[in-house]
Amino acid sequence: MRILPVARLFFVSVLLAAAGSSTALAADMIKIGALFPMSGPGSYFGVQDKQGVELALEALNKSGTKFEIQYEDSACSPLPATQAAKRLIDQYKPDVVIGEECSDATLAVMPVLAQAKVPLLNAGSSSIKITEPGNPWTFRIMPNEVMQGMDIATNAYKRLNAKSAVLLYENTNAGIGNAKVFGDTFTKLGGTILADIGFGRDVNDFTSIATRVTGAGKIDVIPTYTLEGQGLKITQALAQAGVTKGGGGGAIQLGTIWLPFGFEQKAGKAAVGYIRIVQFDPTDQRDQVKNFIQAFKTKYSQDPTHLNAHAYDQIMLIADVVKRGAKDAQSIRDGLAATKDFSGVTGSVAFDEHNQNIKMDTIHYMETLPDLSWKALGWN
Amino acid sequence: MSDAYSAAGRARWWGILAAACVIAVLPLVFRDSYWRTNLIVCALNVMLAIGLDFVVGYAGQLNLGQSAFYGIGAYVSTLLIMRLGLPFWPAFVCGVVASALSGMVLSLFAVRLRGHYLAIASLGFAVITYQVLLNWISLTQGPLGIYGIAPPPPVGLPGWQIDFTDLANLFYLVAGFALLSYVLLDQLVRSPIGETLTAIREDEVSAASLGINARLWKVFAFAVGTAVAGGAGCFYAGFVGTLVPDAFFITESFNILAMVIVGGMGTLSGPVFGAILLTVLPEFLRGIGDLRLIVYGLALTLVVLFMPGGIAQALRLARDRLMRASSRQTAGAKP
């Protein structure tokens, strides 16, 4: 069959246009996979992460590039996380994956995603191993355990003039790692570790540990690395023993970003004087933070937490990379690696050669006042 | 009578052959890495469930410490490989032997106990093992975990190398061991040893009056059942690539027991179905999001309520009904 040259030209043009439009359509939809713990003891992470993600997507999808998300329950554990990651890769085929919160689970899914050449953007896992040595496909926007531990120890020594400390930590990957970094840094600066006390997650009564702390001597600071449940019991036991400021003592308890918002209200007066780092400062006066808080309150009728905020930032960072021209897994990875000046509600992001965010303004120091409200110390 | 026995024996071997064919075909049907991963988890859980069923269902010893033996196999083999540089297969054998020896040690202490008391003793063993894995950091890395564990090394055949980084090959390996374990346990339970264990389960005093040394056979049952769990642990480490004590927490023992109960205790085929169902069902239900675990829990409750003898009993009842219906039909068709 012969086709006239003009008709042939028209036919080819139509085909090219169709091909072009399908490419444009594909680039207009970014598929995000989310690995969040939505069952088990870590499910509170997943619920709050999801709220932050939904808020960000709602704002982004009103105009421009569309973002689509699929959540998978990774259960804060290596095997379920691996299964969930493989399901995402095989069935959903995401351009980028966000999550997990627990270091063990994150470390387990990293090789799976690297093999599939899909970037993983992590916000909540603090283990140093995630980025040291890490892999080219994994990025973390939160300071790692070493950065956090060194920063807390330095501020304790230099700003609080602390010379002695007692380390309290749960026997987990993150607990041991964080406590060790604090201890090493504090000792190097000239401080003394009076006691190094690790405990299992099954410990419920901290009276004996508080008694042991009482007998350790004059304590300036007590860095404490636990999740909320044990954290509350420790804070109350230390106050009851008259060790910490909340119980009329002189020691300042130092806490981590693991504790959720509302911890002080649950701990009551025992938390007075508690200084801890949070990943999101609700007293931050930047417009984007005020807008985020307002939008969050409007949608959920509650105040946002750091988990809401860091999940929100994960999506916004992906949107920023897409705005810079990324349209698939490889270009999103490259865009993330090139990120040097992203400003989110938790702070700013600039990745080093290991894909670790080097900006320390993503952690904020808060002191608990007698009315249990926070005073931002502005140390970072 | 002997004809019936040999017919049943033939049917069993045909069943095993059919299972081997199903194993061979499955990775060809499920080609993506997600479902192949689930297939491997199924095979691991089958090993754990049939090992436990041998102790609980046949010897009548309520063992709630299966997660500990699973963990011992995983840690012993991994530490031997990563710390001493032992090749995988000798480390595998050591892992299996270590689990079996641990099972024997537990049974030596627990042999005087029965029922709830034995359950609590075995649970205590699981708790102790978990605490050792968690707190002996200089040896096990505790909660810091062991990462980057390699899968079993490739097996070289003339002109062909089987690489176990390929999930299909790894599934063939693990499922092959699961099938081998099944055949061995099946042979045991159908031998005089199986009858001895059943006698102890039904009435230990009567068994003793027949000259059966119940203690010895209980130790034997524990050794065999925990060895199979240890084997599963050795494969688990190389498959997931990550080892943390939480993977062997006591709740894992209850999951394995649930597989045995849902499948049908005291029948080797039942726990196979139970393990597959309880592994695959939560994955099938992922599509319904947050409702997943509610539906899963409801399904388990319904199975236990309406099939107290487990899936194996339900299948047997269905088969009997079909046979009765077909024989009635044949009788009605006769002139």
Side-chain angles (χ1 to χ4, degrees):
Chain A
M1 190 173 73
R2 284 187 58 133
I3 302 174
L4 290 173
V6 177
R8 194 187 300 162
L9 190 65
F10 174 76
F11 189 59
V12 169
S13 307
V14 168
L15 277 179
L16 283 174
S21 68
S22 71
T23 310
L25 272 176
D28 278 352
M29 176 63 79
I30 300 295
K31 293 170 91 173
I32 304 170
L35 293 173
F36 292 152
M38 289 184 280
S39 61
S43 55
Y44 71 93
F45 285 120
V47 172
Q48 294 181 56
D49 284 336
K50 204 170 167 184
Q51 284 180 320
V53 166
E54 292 296 325
L55 183 69
L57 290 180
E58 196 178 274
L60 290 169
N61 284 336
K62 280 178 185 162
S63 60
T65 305
K66 298 293 178 200
F67 294 87
E68 187 187 270
I69 191 151
Q70 180 161 315
Y71 300 98
E72 290 295 345
D73 179 9
S74 44
C76 241
S77 185
L79 182 56
T82 306
Q83 286 172 289
K86 285 186 175 169
R87 181 178 151 93
L88 273 179
I89 290 164
D90 289 339
Q91 299 187 355
Y92 184 61
K93 303 188 189 313
D95 298 305
V96 58
V97 171
I98 59 172
E100 231 268 356
E101 290 286 353
C102 301
S103 293
D104 295 339
T106 303
L107 285 161
V109 300
M110 279 170 57
V112 175
L113 290 162
Q115 197 181 13
K117 297 193 182 306
V118 174
L120 171 68
L121 183 57
N122 175 274
S125 306
S126 65
S127 170
I128 184 72
K129 293 174 199 153
I130 290 167
T131 46
E132 296 281 347
N135 71 45
W137 294 88
T138 304
F139 296 81
R140 171 165 51 192
I141 60 173
M142 179 177 89
N144 62 43
E145 63 193 8
V146 174
M147 295 162 79
Q148 287 178 43
M150 286 175 71
D151 200 58
I152 297 173
T154 308
N155 280 320
Y157 189 84
K158 292 187 174 167
R159 294 181 192 265
L160 296 174
N161 293 318
K163 297 289 177 275
S164 59
V166 167
L167 298 172
L168 293 180
Y169 55 92
E170 60 171 37
N171 279 330
T172 61
N173 202 330
I176 296 169
N178 276 273
K180 186 179 181 320
V181 174
F182 183 97
D184 291 348
T185 312
F186 194 67
T187 312
K188 209 176 280 176
L189 287 166
T192 310
I193 302 296
L194 299 173
D196 183 324
I197 305 172
F199 45 83
R201 275 192 174 168
D202 51 347
V203 175
N204 284 312
D205 185 359
F206 286 90
T207 314
S208 60
I209 287 180
T211 309
R212 193 175 151 195
V213 172
T214 313
K218 186 190 169 296
I219 307 160
D220 293 326
V221 287
I222 307 177
T224 312
Y225 302 97
T226 63
L227 294 178
E228 185 184 28
Q230 287 186 316
L232 283 169
K233 288 171 187 160
I234 291 172
T235 299
Q236 284 164 344
L238 290 173
Q240 221 160 26
V243 179
T244 49
K245 284 193 168 178
I252 298 171
Q253 214 184 339
L254 301 175
T256 66
I257 58 171
W258 308 359
L259 299 177
F261 281 35
F263 172 83
E264 290 75 11
Q265 282 66 37
K266 289 179 193 163
K269 291 290 177 195
V272 172
Y274 199 127
I275 294 177
R276 67 164 164 136
I277 52 170
V278 292
Q279 209 179 352
F280 168 61
D281 175 6
T283 66
D284 192 329
Q285 291 304 305
R286 286 179 298 146
D287 282 344
Q288 70 181 121
V289 176
K290 287 185 194 166
N291 293 339
F292 165 69
I293 294 172
Q294 186 55 45
F296 194 91
K297 279 183 175 172
T298 307
K299 187 171 169 67
Y300 298 111
S301 304
Q302 64 188 70
D303 292 319
T305 68
H306 72 285
L307 295 170
N308 300 137
H310 79 205
Y312 181 88
D313 269 359
Q314 281 173 298
I315 299 296
M316 286 306 185
L317 176 54
I318 292 167
D320 182 67
V321 170
V322 170
K323 205 171 147 189
R324 284 186 263 138
K327 57 184 189 307
D328 54 24
Q330 180 66 53
S331 55
I332 289 175
R333 193 222 78 85
D334 296 342
L336 284 170
T339 301
K340 294 293 171 212
D341 55 357
F342 172 77
S343 177
V345 296
T346 57
S348 50
V349 177
F351 291 113
D352 66 8
E353 68 274 18
H354 295 287
N355 300 335
Q356 166 66 54
N357 181 16
I358 51 166
K359 299 283 190 179
M360 289 304 288
D361 62 358
T362 47
I363 58 173
H364 314 268
Y365 285 83
M366 298 290 175
E367 182 181 4
T368 306
L369 299 176
D371 65 353
L372 304 183
S373 66
W374 275 347
K375 177 184 161 193
L377 296 174
W379 288 351
N380 276 328
Chain B
M1 190 72 178
S2 67
D3 280 353
Y5 265 121
S6 61
R10 273 200 302 276
R12 231 176 14 257
W13 283 110
W14 277 114
I16 288 165
L17 188 65
C21 293
V22 170
I23 289 170
V25 167
L26 277 173
L28 306 176
V29 176
F30 298 100
R31 303 190 76 89
D32 64 21
S33 69
Y34 166 61
W35 277 109
R36 284 181 174 178
T37 298
N38 290 335
L39 289 178
I40 297 170
V41 180
C42 277
L44 289 173
N45 285 338
V46 164
M47 288 178 79
L48 292 167
I50 58 174
L52 182 63
D53 188 46
F54 187 69
V55 180
V56 180
Y58 287 94
Q61 307 300 302
L62 186 48
N63 169 22
L64 293 182
Q66 192 77 336
S67 62
F69 306 110
Y70 187 27
I72 288 168
Y75 270 92
V76 167
S77 59
T78 303
L79 291 174
L80 287 173
I81 293 166
M82 297 190 81
R83 294 212 167 199
L84 300 181
L86 215 62
F88 177 84
W89 290 108
F92 175 86
V93 172
C94 293
V96 171
V97 170
S99 292
L101 287 175
S102 310
M104 288 168 77
V105 169
L106 170 66
S107 64
L108 283 173
F109 286 106
V111 84
R112 294 163 181 270
L113 306 171
R114 288 181 207 171
H116 303 102
Y117 300 99
L118 174 61
I120 289 171
S122 58
L123 194 61
F125 181 79
V127 171
I128 292 167
T129 306
Y130 173 74
Q131 291 297 335
V132 169
L133 296 179
L134 191 68
N135 292 303
W136 196 352
I137 293 172
S138 59
L139 180 71
T140 65
Q141 288 277 86
L144 301 174
I146 303 172
Y147 298 96
I149 304 165
V155 173
L157 297 174
W160 187 34
Q161 197 178 45
I162 305 170
D163 180 6
F164 295 113
T165 54
D166 181 330
L167 288 176
N169 291 340
L170 188 58
F171 168 70
Y172 286 134
L173 178 71
V174 181
F177 266 84
L179 187 63
L180 184 67
S181 308
Y182 182 93
V183 172
L184 289 175
L185 293 177
D186 188 55
Q187 290 300 304
L188 276 177
V189 299
R190 293 183 194 284
S191 70
I193 294 173
E195 287 167 8
T196 305
L197 292 176
T198 310
I200 294 168
R201 180 190 68 193
E202 295 301 324
D203 190 340
E204 208 173 312
V205 177
S206 303
S209 72
L210 294 171
I212 294 172
N213 185 342
R215 285 186 186 185
L216 180 73
W217 288 110
K218 281 183 189 177
V219 171
F220 172 78
F222 261 94
V224 172
T226 55
V228 177
C234 299
F235 287 129
Y236 171 91
F239 161 55
V240 180
T242 297
L243 217 45
V244 287
D246 282 356
F248 310 104
F249 192 54
I250 48 173
T251 47
E252 189 58 26
S253 288
F254 291 103
N255 287 339
I256 302 164
L257 186 64
M259 290 168 194
V260 174
I261 293 170
V262 167
M265 209 184 285
T267 63
L268 271 183
S269 58
V272 174
F273 292 121
I276 294 169
L277 180 75
L278 268 64
T279 309
V280 168
L281 186 62
E283 295 304 320
F284 271 124
L285 293 174
R286 273 188 186 271
I288 58 171
D290 295 346
L291 289 174
R292 179 171 77 110
L293 294 179
I294 295 175
V295 175
Y296 176 69
L298 192 67
L300 283 193
T301 311
L302 290 175
V303 166
V304 176
L305 275 177
F306 295 104
M307 292 192 265
I311 298 169
Q313 188 198 41
L315 288 175
R316 216 169 26 241
L317 285 173
R319 186 195 61 192
D320 291 349
R321 270 185 204 165
L322 268 174
M323 285 174 74
R324 272 202 302 274
S326 111
S327 61
R328 267 201 302 271
Q329 217 167 22
T330 316
K334 279 180 185 171

